Amino acid sequence: MLRSIHDSLEPKLVTLFKRQGYSRSDFVADAIAGLAVAIVALPLAMAIAIASNLPPERGLFTAIVAGFLISAHGGSRYQIGGPTAAFIVTVATVAMKHGYEGLVLATIMAGGILALMAFLRAGELIKFIPYPVIVGFTSGIALLIAFSQIRDFFGLHVDTVPPDFIDKLTLYLAHLHETNLAAVLLATASIGVILLAKRYTPRIPGPILVVILSASAVWALNIPVETIESRFDSIPSMLPSPVWPDITFEKLRLLLPDAITIATLTAIESLLSAVVADGMTGTRHKPNAELLGQGVANVASGIFGGLPATGAIARTATNIKAGAKSPVAGMMHAVWLFAFMLLLAPLIVKVPLAALAAILMVVAWNMSEIKHVREIMKAPKADRIVLITTFALTVLVDLNFAIQAGIALASILFIDSMMKSTQIKAVRNEEDDPDSTANKTIPPGVEVYEIDGPLFFGVAEKLVDTLLLFEKPPKVFILRMRHVPLIDAAGLHALEVVQERLSHHGTRLILSGVNPQVRRFIALSDLNVKIGSENIVDHIDKAILRASVFLMPKEG
């Protein structure tokens, strides 16, 4: 047991080194791939921090510290970690409600929750989150990200952007007359550069071209737009010293819901990214090790002044396409980012905010899941309801509530569909079924009914209501259960109620075709004593024979 837990939590880096070793050529390939990813990650890390209403260096600290640890301790061979656009709304909201120190504590708490999930081997459970819920909140986050960038995209003079969607909309409309045409043109041109680079120069990341060209244009042409330097002055060229936040029980209580939100989003995003990487390379990630790596990384990110971190799908894909061989590529991406911050900090601050807003607009579009939304809108009605509800709640309320409500709604609709699919019907003629009663002699006074599907709480009442169909209670009631794969407490209670009501009318209950698992639960609940073990049989022929015994006139 302990050996199994150890293996599931062992970092992918260690597993690979044990099984395959590591050569100099592997390191060279990883270093080159790490450089390619770092070039993509540099503008994104700063843009995500700024979009969260925080200084750009917070994003860089996260990409360096968390990015290194996610690769070193995680369960995916190619995963690239760091700040992601999916966190923008949550981070901005937590920082606004509790300050940056509150965000740090929530991030550390989320890291602890992720580590606990790993030890409880909860990595496999993430796959049970319904697909429409994932698409719904992802597309909702995409809309919120795009909406959060309107201030810098249009160059509006707004000091603080509120986290709520409606409040943002009201504020933007009030300041729309302040639109800076130069910022709009620069942002639009930046989007054009990204799209053209993707089509004509796919080996050169569009975001880094935007950063270089926009900063050069603003400097050379003296374009009147805000830059990182004009809003934040400068960024440090070194990592900060680690600082542990002040912890009180009251703070932990207040921040627990936000920490759960961060942990949930981290788990979902990181495991989705790992699955995407597996699909691109034919490898297999270790979900529990991935959660542990994410937990360690988020604790460290908080201590070093960063933000929540998770697996980044686009950067992971870039890592794979750049020829990465192992998790060392992700560690090298963090090293390269540190070198950029150390050597290029005076130049990085020249980047215009409108260009970073354009980069995030493209990220939001890529996150929007338009293709998958269209697919789900052609799916059954229940899936469409879950998608629309989750999307609306993500945009209008908050992510945590949206995920909870989406999962709950999907579960209720699934139970409803299962309940409708489970049939309880009288058995008459079933000529296509070799075990049917069509060619069997059913004695007078015997009614045969069959349950087709699981007998759970959604169906239990339907079983009890079956008794209301009898104008005159039969002498023997045979309930065929050959197609009942499972039974829950409500189903057992329903059988008990049926037994009591039939017994009250002098009717004998016989259960036919009960599989071993269902029979075990019937025995554990002592229901076999009330029904009689001899009245629980495995085939309809035995049930009919048993019924005949009851119908025989008693001697004397």
Side-chain angles (χ1 to χ4, degrees):
M1 177 66 177
L2 291 177
R3 179 66 179 174
S4 175
I5 293 174
H6 175 269
D7 290 343
S8 71
L9 297 177
E10 184 179 73
K12 193 72 170 182
L13 178 68
V14 175
T15 303
L16 281 174
F17 281 7
K18 284 181 179 178
R19 294 179 180 177
Q20 301 179 9
Y22 194 70
S23 66
R24 178 179 296 181
S25 61
D26 290 336
F27 176 76
V28 171
D30 283 338
I32 294 172
L35 176 61
V37 177
I39 291 172
V40 175
L42 177 67
L44 284 175
M46 295 189 298
I48 289 165
I50 293 170
S52 303
N53 295 326
L54 293 170
E57 61 265 25
R58 302 291 182 197
L60 291 175
F61 298 160
T62 308
I64 293 169
V65 175
F68 186 92
L69 292 174
I70 285 172
S71 294
H73 292 277
S76 173
R77 183 169 183 168
Y78 301 103
Q79 182 84 283
I80 299 294
T84 67
F87 277 116
I88 288 174
V89 179
T90 300
V91 168
T93 302
V94 175
M96 183 168 290
K97 288 194 302 182
H98 304 288
Y100 179 69
E101 185 173 317
L103 174 64
V104 167
L105 184 53
T107 303
I108 293 173
M109 290 170 65
I113 292 171
L114 287 162
L116 179 62
M117 291 171 65
F119 282 105
L120 294 176
R121 307 175 80 173
E124 298 289 345
L125 299 179
I126 300 297
K127 65 186 178 184
F128 293 110
I129 296 179
Y131 182 60
V133 173
I134 294 175
V135 174
F137 81 71
T138 303
S139 55
I141 290 172
L143 176 61
L144 291 174
I145 292 170
F147 216 65
S148 70
Q149 297 309 297
I150 288 178
R151 173 182 64 170
D152 293 332
F153 194 96
F154 288 91
L156 305 181
H157 299 290
V158 178
D159 293 330
T160 304
V161 178
D164 292 334
F165 181 81
I166 300 300
D167 292 340
K168 276 193 186 81
L169 178 60
T170 303
L171 183 67
Y172 289 152
L173 292 176
H175 289 267
L176 200 57
H177 64 281
E178 301 173 357
T179 298
N180 182 340
L181 184 59
V184 175
L185 292 174
L186 182 63
T188 304
S190 297
I191 291 177
V193 169
I194 293 173
L195 297 178
L196 290 172
K198 184 177 180 179
R199 181 171 182 179
Y200 295 107
T201 57
R203 291 185 174 276
I204 303 176
I208 200 65
L209 284 178
V210 165
V211 166
I212 295 172
L213 294 176
S214 62
S216 301
V218 169
W219 173 79
L221 303 176
N222 197 27
I223 301 174
V225 294
E226 261 196 303
T227 63
I228 294 176
E229 186 175 37
S230 65
R231 183 179 294 180
F232 300 101
D233 193 19
S234 62
I235 61 174
S237 56
M238 286 296 293
L239 288 172
S241 300
V243 177
W244 193 264
D246 181 44
I247 301 176
T248 65
F249 177 78
E250 182 63 18
K251 286 183 178 179
L252 294 176
R253 184 184 66 80
L254 287 174
L255 289 167
L256 183 58
D258 297 310
I260 292 174
T261 300
I262 293 171
T264 302
L265 187 56
T266 299
I268 294 172
E269 289 290 314
S270 63
L271 294 178
L272 279 177
S273 179
V275 169
V276 170
D278 289 347
M280 294 178 66
T281 61
T283 55
R284 185 179 177 84
H285 73 282
K286 302 169 70 175
N288 296 310
E290 183 62 28
L291 290 182
L292 182 59
Q294 297 289 337
V296 170
N298 274 278
V299 171
S301 180
I303 294 173
F304 278 91
L307 310 173
T310 186
I313 296 176
R315 276 162 271 174
T316 298
T318 300
N319 187 40
I320 293 170
K321 293 176 182 177
K325 300 295 183 182
S326 76
V328 173
M331 298 161 68
M332 287 303 301
H333 125 272
V335 173
W336 285 114
L337 282 173
F338 178 72
F340 292 162
M341 187 175 72
L342 181 68
L343 302 174
L344 304 177
L347 299 177
I348 291 173
V349 295
K350 304 298 182 182
V351 177
L353 298 179
L356 295 181
I359 291 172
L360 284 183
M361 285 284 194
V362 175
V363 170
W365 173 257
N366 292 335
M367 278 184 63
S368 63
E369 305 273 10
I370 294 295
K371 176 183 176 182
H372 301 298
V373 170
R374 288 173 179 166
E375 290 174 354
I376 293 176
M377 293 308 291
K378 299 175 183 177
K381 183 179 179 181
D383 292 330
R384 301 199 300 270
I385 292 173
V386 171
L387 170 68
I388 295 170
T389 301
T390 307
F391 173 83
L393 291 175
T394 300
V395 173
L396 300 175
V397 185
D398 66 62
L399 178 63
N400 191 27
F401 182 71
I403 294 176
Q404 294 176 20
I407 293 174
L409 180 59
S411 300
I412 291 170
L413 292 174
F414 174 75
I415 291 169
D416 180 65
S417 65
M418 287 294 292
M419 185 177 68
K420 291 176 179 176
S421 67
T422 299
Q423 301 293 321
I424 302 176
K425 58 188 179 180
V427 177
R428 293 291 183 265
N429 294 312
E430 302 168 352
E431 296 178 358
D432 294 334
D433 187 348
D435 284 330
S436 75
T437 58
N439 299 314
K440 303 181 189 300
T441 302
I442 305 298
V446 177
E447 286 284 351
V448 182
Y449 272 69
E450 180 162 18
I451 305 175
D452 188 2
L455 183 52
F456 66 111
F457 64 89
V459 184
E461 187 176 350
K462 188 189 296 187
L463 174 60
V464 176
D465 290 343
T466 300
L467 300 182
L468 300 176
L469 300 175
F470 300 138
E471 295 181 5
K472 179 183 177 181
K475 294 179 180 180
V476 178
F477 181 73
I478 298 176
L479 185 61
R480 302 194 71 180
M481 298 178 64
R482 56 181 176 155
H483 296 311
V484 177
L486 56 91
I487 189 170
D488 68 357
L492 292 169
H493 178 68
L495 284 179
E496 184 176 9
V497 171
V498 168
Q499 158 63 21
E500 290 174 353
R501 292 190 183 182
L502 289 173
S503 180
H504 177 73
H505 292 287
T507 302
R508 186 75 65 167
L509 172 64
I510 299 176
L511 303 183
S512 167
V514 182
N515 71 43
Q517 181 180 357
V518 173
R519 189 165 192 153
R520 183 169 66 88
F521 285 116
I522 290 175
L524 288 172
S525 65
D526 292 330
L527 192 55
N528 61 324
V529 177
K530 296 179 180 179
I531 298 175
S533 296
E534 67 280 3
N535 296 326
I536 303 174
V537 297
D538 58 7
H539 197 274
I540 186 61
D541 290 341
K542 295 180 181 179
I544 294 173
L545 182 61
R546 186 67 186 165
S548 300
V549 172
F550 287 128
L551 295 174
M552 290 175 62
K554 296 182 180 179
E555 296 181 3

